[in-house]
Amino acid sequence: MVANTTVKGTLVSFLVGITEIDIDTVEIVDIKKIKSSPSYPDVIPKQMVVKVEKKIVESREVGFLVKFCPPGIVIVEASVDLENILDEHIFDIKKSLIVECRTLLWEYYCDQHFDEEYTVYCVSNYHGDPEDIVSEYKESIAGLLKTERIPLDEEEINSTLKFNIKYSKDDLTIVDWDGAFVFDPRSDFASNIELLEIANLQLLKLRLLEHELEERLEKAAYLLQKSTLRRIPWLNSRKIRHSLREIIQIRTESIQEFAATERHINLIGDWYSARLFDLIAKKLHLEAWKININKTLDALEDIYSMIAENFSISFSTTMDFIMTFGWFVLLVGYFLLFLLELLQKKS
């Protein structure tokens, strides 16, 4: 971090979580956009206000906003104005904000093992090209984006700062995995933060789906091993078909959800929002997550197909054995009848 630097700004940290409860709220979050954007309805998921409150955190007044995005998505957002957003104490402030956000998130029974946290550094008190500020304080900015206190290598700094997008001559957004810097002299931050929240929401859903599929994969591998060793006589074709239907349903739902998001973004076209979301998605590696999930689904289908094949072979073998045993019983029966007839004739 560079010492003796003063850049006023607003620190915004948010957490995205998933809950199974239905939160009763009707007030829609009104995001006023300065940049030109299309008027397609429902392109961006609607966010509804659940709670607005202020708390004292690290001796500073912090505003908290709890939002609900149906179905089952809770977003807790904390924001605080700072005299120097590049100060080293920002790390501690950010940590405290995340703790407070997570406490609020848990009030809505969100999964404590799965959430996504992100921090946005908003700067508006400047004139001219923000790239001049970035050039002057690039070490501090890169360190905050990486949540890294130690000095970064020049190559790492440049690699971090190159993920940026501009709309006008005097604005700039830099995106990284853990945070983003948004420079805008008109304080048009809300729309960018909304897109960052949506991208993190997608990442959270992908993580949850991957976790569920990994558990299913372990179970399927166990069943395959047992079916190969013929140790699961209780396994029947109905259970196999049910498992395969579940996998197909998961694949279908995931494809529909991913396709819907991409379709919505495509509707926006080449507008700033679409280009920014594409940049965020690349930095969060959303496409890589989707590819990995599809590979896991393929593996699951293959394993259950092998289980079904083993079951089919086992079932066929069992039926052959039953038929052979049946014929043997009939032959024994005929032989006994023959003996009885002989005994009756002799008597």
Side-chain angles (χ1 to χ4, degrees):
M1 298 285 290
V2 177
N4 300 321
T5 59
T6 302
V7 177
K8 287 185 178 181
T10 301
L11 181 67
V12 180
S13 293
F14 65 81
L15 257 73
V16 183
I18 292 184
T19 181
E20 294 183 357
I21 66 172
D22 186 21
I23 301 175
D24 186 19
T25 180
V26 294
E27 182 183 352
I28 303 295
V29 177
D30 183 23
I31 297 179
K32 295 179 174 60
K33 300 180 180 180
I34 297 176
K35 300 179 181 68
S36 298
S37 60
S39 58
Y40 300 118
D42 301 325
V43 169
I44 301 298
K46 297 296 183 184
Q47 298 179 358
M48 295 179 286
V49 178
V50 178
K51 180 194 290 187
V52 179
E53 65 179 18
K54 293 185 180 295
K55 293 183 180 181
I56 301 299
V57 180
E58 297 282 334
S59 303
R60 293 175 174 83
E61 186 179 70
V62 180
F64 288 89
L65 173 62
V66 181
K67 299 181 286 187
F68 180 62
C69 185
I73 307 302
V74 180
I75 302 172
V76 181
E77 193 178 291
S79 59
V80 57
D81 295 328
L82 299 169
E83 286 297 316
N84 184 11
I85 204 167
L86 301 181
D87 191 276
E88 286 191 357
H89 295 296
I90 296 300
F91 291 111
D92 299 322
I93 297 172
K94 171 189 169 182
K95 183 178 180 180
S96 298
L97 293 184
I98 293 297
V99 169
E100 292 292 334
C101 285
R102 187 163 281 118
T103 301
L104 280 171
L105 198 67
W106 290 350
E107 289 183 9
Y108 300 93
Y109 303 98
C110 290
D111 191 329
Q112 297 187 11
H113 302 289
F114 288 94
D115 60 43
E116 286 297 331
E117 64 180 64
Y118 203 82
T119 299
V120 187
Y121 306 87
C122 306
V123 181
S124 61
N125 188 25
Y126 67 91
H127 299 283
D129 193 337
E131 290 190 16
D132 295 335
I133 301 175
V134 174
S135 178
E136 184 176 357
Y137 305 129
K138 61 181 182 179
E139 292 181 11
S140 298
I141 292 172
L144 288 170
L145 288 172
K146 296 289 186 185
T147 315
E148 186 59 77
R149 294 176 185 266
I150 63 174
L152 296 173
D153 180 73
E154 186 73 17
E155 185 176 346
E156 182 65 28
I157 292 172
N158 294 332
S159 176
T160 300
L161 300 180
K162 74 177 183 180
F163 277 86
N164 65 73
I165 183 173
K166 288 176 68 71
Y167 183 77
S168 62
K169 291 183 178 180
D170 56 0
D171 73 12
L172 178 69
T173 298
I174 307 171
V175 177
D176 202 73
W177 171 267
D178 198 43
F181 256 89
V182 183
F183 295 87
D184 194 309
R186 292 162 290 278
S187 299
D188 183 21
F189 303 123
S191 56
N192 285 23
I193 292 173
E194 181 185 36
L195 288 174
L196 288 163
E197 289 174 347
I198 292 170
N200 275 273
L201 167 59
Q202 276 205 310
L203 177 60
L204 177 59
K205 287 184 175 181
L206 289 168
R207 284 180 56 214
L208 281 167
L209 180 56
E210 176 69 14
H211 177 71
E212 179 185 351
L213 292 177
E214 287 294 338
E215 288 185 339
R216 287 176 177 268
L217 192 60
E218 290 181 8
K219 180 181 177 181
Y222 173 79
L223 291 177
L224 178 61
Q225 181 184 14
K226 294 301 181 183
S227 68
T228 304
L229 297 175
R230 306 290 193 271
R231 293 180 181 175
I232 47 172
W234 44 266
L235 186 64
N236 55 45
S237 59
R238 181 179 296 178
K239 290 184 178 180
I240 295 173
R241 289 197 301 269
H242 177 70
S243 297
L244 284 170
R245 280 197 299 269
E246 283 185 336
I247 295 169
I248 293 171
Q249 183 179 356
I250 291 172
R251 182 187 286 276
T252 303
E253 290 176 353
S254 61
I255 289 174
Q256 287 177 339
E257 183 171 348
F258 300 155
T261 302
E262 291 173 1
R263 182 171 62 252
H264 291 161
I265 297 302
N266 288 335
L267 277 175
I268 303 176
D270 195 36
W271 296 81
Y272 172 80
S273 298
R275 293 188 291 117
L276 175 58
F277 188 86
D278 183 59
L279 181 67
I280 299 168
K282 287 179 180 177
K283 199 61 184 177
L284 297 184
H285 307 291
L286 297 184
E287 191 60 34
W289 277 92
K290 294 175 186 178
I291 292 172
N292 192 51
I293 285 172
N294 282 326
K295 288 181 179 178
T296 306
L297 284 166
D298 289 338
L300 271 171
E301 289 180 2
D302 290 342
I303 289 176
Y304 273 106
S305 295
M306 286 187 283
I307 293 174
E309 183 179 348
N310 286 344
F311 175 81
S312 177
I313 294 172
S314 176
F315 181 77
S316 177
T317 303
T318 302
M319 291 303 297
D320 289 342
F321 174 78
I322 292 173
M323 290 179 65
T324 303
F325 182 75
W327 282 111
F328 177 76
V329 170
L330 285 174
L331 289 173
V332 171
Y334 284 130
F335 181 72
L336 290 175
L337 287 174
F338 178 72
L339 287 177
L340 286 173
E341 286 183 7
L342 288 177
L343 291 173
Q344 287 177 354
K345 288 180 180 180
K346 288 182 178 181
S347 61

